[in-house]
Amino acid sequence: MVSKALAKYIRSLHQRKYRQRHAAFLVEGAKSVLELLGSGLEVEHLLATPAFAPQLASPRHPPVQLATEDELTQLGTLQTNAAALAVVRRPPEVPLLPTLPAGRLVLALDNVADPGNLGTLWRLADWYGLPGVVLSENCADPYNPKAVAASMGAFGRVPVWADVDLAAWLSSLPAGIGVYGADLEGDNVHKLHLQPAGVLVMGSESHGLSPDVAARLTRRLHIPHGPGGRAESLNVAVSAAILLDNFFRNS
Amino acid sequence: MVSKALAKYIRSLHQRKYRQRHAAFLVEGAKSVLELLGSGLEVEHLLATPAFAPQLASPRHPPVQLATEDELTQLGTLQTNAAALAVVRRPPEVPLLPTLPAGRLVLALDNVADPGNLGTLWRLADWYGLPGVVLSENCADPYNPKAVAASMGAFGRVPVWADVDLAAWLSSLPAGIGVYGADLEGDNVHKLHLQPAGVLVMGSESHGLSPDVAARLTRRLHIPHGPGGRAESLNVAVSAAILLDNFFRNS
C-alpha cells in the first residue's frame, strides 16, 4: 500500500514544474528501472510489484516498496505498468563550457519540443558514445516521462545540459570548433569526409534551426534524397541518425 | 454546423474496425490536408474553419463544410485542430507480387506496432523514393491517425501493402532478390557497397525480426556503434534511416 503522501508526490512529478521544484523525476517500467539501477543515479523511492521486486534488491538503493500493478499504473504515466516505478534525483549539472571535450562531437538540440523525439535523440547520443547533449531553452524537458522512456536508459549514461542559450554558447566556443547543422541547401554529406569533432545542432520539428543558431554554423550538411524521393523533410531524430552515421563512418 | 450523422461517422474512424468497415480514414491539420489535396486520393468529406477554407477550394474535391476550431478538435484526434479535417477513401491495393520492381528497394515492416514509428518509416520511404512499404499482419494500421500524421504526406504518395504474411511473401520472391535486415551480429554496413535493390526488412520495436522472417534474410546488416557507445539498440525508424542512407550513398 503506497502512502497518500508518496502517491501525491509521485503524481506531482508528471508535471515539469514539480520535477524542477523537487529536482526529481520518474523512471517507469521494467526495462527502464533495470537500466536505472545499473546507472550511478540516486534513487529516492523504488516501487515494484511482488513478482518483480526480487530483481531490484540492492544495498545501494532504498528498499523496494511493494505495490500492485493497478497502483503503479495509477501513479505513473504509462498505459500499464506491471513491474516497477522509481523516483530519481535529477543529477547535478556540471558547468557546460569546460566540458566540451577536445576532438569529440557534442549533440545540441534547438527547440526540439516533442519529448519522444528528445528521448530518441538521447538514445542515439548513447549509441554513438557522445559526451553529452546540449538543450536549448525551449526544448522539451529531458526528464519528462516520455523522454526518459524513449531514451532507453541513456538518461543514466549520457549527460544533458538543459535550458542553454544556444546561440550565446556557440558564440563562446573557441575558434576552430566545427558547428554543423542540417540544411537542404548544404553540402552533400556523402561527398564529405566528416570527422566526429565539434557540435552537431539539430533544429525543431517544424521550424528547423532558429536564425540566431543557424548564423553560428560553420558548415551546413545536406542529406541526399533517393532518386524520385519527394518528402520535404525528415523527422529530426532520423536526420540526426543519418548525420551521425556519416560522422562516425570515417573515424 | 456539422450534422450528427457525419460527426458520428468521423468519430467512428478513430477506430481501426470502422476504418476497415468503411474503407476510409481521417486526415487532420493544415499541413496534412494540404498534402492530401495534392495527392490523387479520393476525398469524401472536407471540413475546415472559415479562415482556412479558402485554401482548400478545388473542383476536384467535395465542397468544404465549415466548422469551428472546437468542432474540428472534438471530431478529430489532434490535441487542437484550428484548420481542417478530411475523410478520405482508402486507396485500393494493387496486388503485391507483380509490383516488386526490378532493381528497386522495397521497405518491409515486421510487427512495427507503434503508429508514430510506422508513419515516420513511411515518410522515410517517401524521402528515398521507395516504390512502397510492405506491412506484416501485426503492424500498426497505416491509416491510424497518428501514422497518417507522422507520414507527413507520404500517405498520398507511397503505396502500402497491409496485412501481408511476410515470411510467405519473402519465400515467394524470385531467387536472387536480396533480403536485408538489421542484426547486431551482421556485416558492418560501412564496409559494404550496398545497392538499393531488393527488400529491407525492419523488425518490431521490442523483439526485432520474427524468426520466420529472419530465416529469409540473405544478408544481415550491422550499424556500428560510435567509440564508447553503450545503447543496446536504436529506434526502428532511426535504424532504417541509417541503413537506407547506406544503400543510397552508392547509387
Side-chain angles (χ1 to χ4, degrees), chain A residues 123 190 233 245-246 249, chain B residues 123 126 190 233 245-246 249:
Chain A
R123 179 181 182 184
H190 296 166
S233 64
D245 183 65
N246 276 277
R249 66 184 300 121
Chain B
R123 180 181 182 185
D126 191 19
H190 295 166
S233 64
D245 183 65
N246 276 276
R249 65 183 301 120

Side-chain angles (χ1 to χ4, degrees), chain B residues 14-79:
Chain B
H14 295 203
Q15 291 180 60
R16 183 172 195 160
K17 154 170 93 163
Y18 293 104
R19 288 194 295 271
Q20 288 184 320
R21 184 173 303 171
H22 298 298
F25 64 101
L26 299 179
V27 173
E28 302 174 79
K31 205 169 154 57
S32 290
V33 170
L34 289 172
E35 295 269 17
L36 166 68
L37 299 191
S39 78
L41 292 171
E42 183 187 341
V43 179
E44 279 182 18
H45 299 279
L46 198 49
L47 282 65
T49 57
F52 194 71
Q55 294 190 52
L56 302 179
S58 152
R60 280 209 308 119
H61 299 294
V64 177
Q65 298 177 63
L66 297 181
T68 64
E69 298 186 14
D70 276 356
E71 281 179 308
L72 292 182
T73 302
Q74 279 164 24
L75 289 171
T77 68
L78 300 178
Q79 266 197 322

Side-chain angles (χ1 to χ4, degrees), chain B:
Chain B
M1 183 70 195
V2 179
S3 77
K4 271 193 185 167
L6 179 57
K8 190 178 167 195
Y9 176 48
I10 291 174
R11 272 196 284 261
S12 80
L13 299 176
H14 295 203
Q15 291 180 60
R16 183 172 195 160
K17 154 170 93 163
Y18 293 104
R19 288 194 295 271
Q20 288 184 320
R21 184 173 303 171
H22 298 298
F25 64 101
L26 299 179
V27 173
E28 302 174 79
K31 205 169 154 57
S32 290
V33 170
L34 289 172
E35 295 269 17
L36 166 68
L37 299 191
S39 78
L41 292 171
E42 183 187 341
V43 179
E44 279 182 18
H45 299 279
L46 198 49
L47 282 65
T49 57
F52 194 71
Q55 294 190 52
L56 302 179
S58 152
R60 280 209 308 119
H61 299 294
V64 177
Q65 298 177 63
L66 297 181
T68 64
E69 298 186 14
D70 276 356
E71 281 179 308
L72 292 182
T73 302
Q74 279 164 24
L75 289 171
T77 68
L78 300 178
Q79 266 197 322
T80 60
N81 181 349
L85 178 153
V87 178
V88 185
R89 302 295 309 158
R90 187 172 169 139
E93 274 186 20
V94 289
L96 177 58
L97 240 189
T99 60
L100 185 69
R104 293 187 67 191
L105 185 68
V106 171
L107 182 63
L109 307 183
D110 182 21
N111 297 347
V112 171
D114 179 80
N117 280 338
L118 192 145
T120 303
L121 287 154
W122 205 352
R123 180 181 182 185
L124 194 56
D126 191 19
W127 181 269
Y128 285 103
L130 306 190
V133 183
V134 180
L135 308 175
S136 76
E137 288 154 330
N138 296 313
C139 280
D141 178 11
Y143 296 105
N144 177 301
K146 282 187 188 157
V148 169
S151 85
M152 297 293 275
F155 65 85
R157 290 186 289 261
V158 179
V160 289
W161 295 277
D163 291 315
V164 173
D165 179 337
L166 220 50
W169 173 64
L170 292 171
S171 301
S172 75
L173 294 177
I177 300 251
V179 181
Y180 302 90
D183 189 312
L184 292 172
E185 309 295 314
D187 300 323
N188 179 343
V189 288
H190 295 166
K191 313 277 184 199
L192 302 172
H193 200 81
L194 295 167
Q195 292 299 324
V199 184
L200 172 63
V201 197
M202 302 301 303
S204 87
E205 293 89 344
S206 35
H207 305 105
L209 292 177
S210 49
D212 276 7
V213 169
R216 268 74 182 180
L217 297 185
T218 61
R219 181 145 224 166
R220 287 155 204 274
L221 304 174
H222 166 57
I223 298 169
H225 274 87
R230 286 180 289 177
E232 274 178 34
S233 64
L234 288 166
N235 166 280
V236 58
V238 153
S239 300
I242 296 171
L243 294 175
L244 287 169
D245 183 65
N246 276 276
F247 272 100
F248 281 94
R249 65 183 301 120
N250 306 312
S251 68

Side-chain angles (χ1 to χ4, degrees), chain A:
Chain A
M1 183 70 194
V2 179
S3 77
K4 272 193 186 170
L6 179 57
K8 190 177 166 197
Y9 175 48
I10 291 174
R11 272 197 285 263
S12 79
L13 299 176
H14 295 204
Q15 290 179 59
R16 183 174 196 159
K17 157 170 91 165
Y18 293 104
R19 289 192 296 272
Q20 289 184 320
R21 184 173 303 171
H22 298 298
F25 65 100
L26 300 179
V27 173
E28 301 175 78
K31 207 169 150 56
S32 289
V33 170
L34 289 173
E35 294 268 19
L36 166 68
L37 299 192
S39 78
L41 292 172
E42 183 187 341
V43 180
E44 279 182 16
H45 299 279
L46 198 49
L47 282 67
T49 57
F52 194 72
Q55 294 190 51
L56 302 180
S58 152
R60 279 211 307 121
H61 299 295
V64 176
Q65 300 178 61
L66 297 181
T68 65
E69 297 186 15
D70 276 357
E71 280 179 309
L72 292 183
T73 302
Q74 279 165 24
L75 290 171
T77 68
L78 299 178
Q79 265 195 322
T80 60
N81 181 349
L85 178 152
V87 178
V88 185
R89 302 295 311 158
R90 186 172 171 140
E93 275 186 20
V94 290
L96 177 58
L97 239 187
T99 61
L100 186 68
R104 294 188 67 192
L105 186 68
V106 171
L107 182 63
L109 307 182
D110 183 21
N111 296 349
V112 171
D114 179 81
N117 280 338
L118 192 145
T120 304
L121 287 154
W122 206 351
R123 179 181 182 184
L124 194 57
D126 191 20
W127 180 269
Y128 285 103
L130 306 190
V133 183
V134 181
L135 307 175
S136 75
E137 287 154 332
N138 296 313
C139 281
D141 178 11
Y143 296 105
N144 177 303
K146 282 187 189 158
V148 169
S151 85
M152 297 293 275
F155 65 85
R157 291 186 290 262
V158 179
V160 288
W161 295 276
D163 290 315
V164 173
D165 178 337
L166 220 50
W169 174 64
L170 293 171
S171 302
S172 75
L173 294 176
I177 300 253
V179 181
Y180 302 90
D183 189 312
L184 292 171
E185 309 295 315
D187 299 323
N188 179 344
V189 287
H190 296 166
K191 311 279 184 197
L192 302 171
H193 200 82
L194 296 167
Q195 293 299 325
V199 184
L200 172 62
V201 196
M202 301 302 301
S204 88
E205 294 89 345
S206 35
H207 304 104
L209 292 177
S210 49
D212 275 7
V213 169
R216 267 75 182 180
L217 297 184
T218 60
R219 180 146 225 165
R220 287 153 204 275
L221 303 174
H222 167 58
I223 298 169
H225 275 87
R230 287 180 288 177
E232 274 176 36
S233 64
L234 288 166
N235 166 279
V236 58
V238 154
S239 301
I242 296 172
L243 294 175
L244 286 170
D245 183 65
N246 276 277
F247 272 101
F248 282 94
R249 66 184 300 121
N250 307 312
S251 68

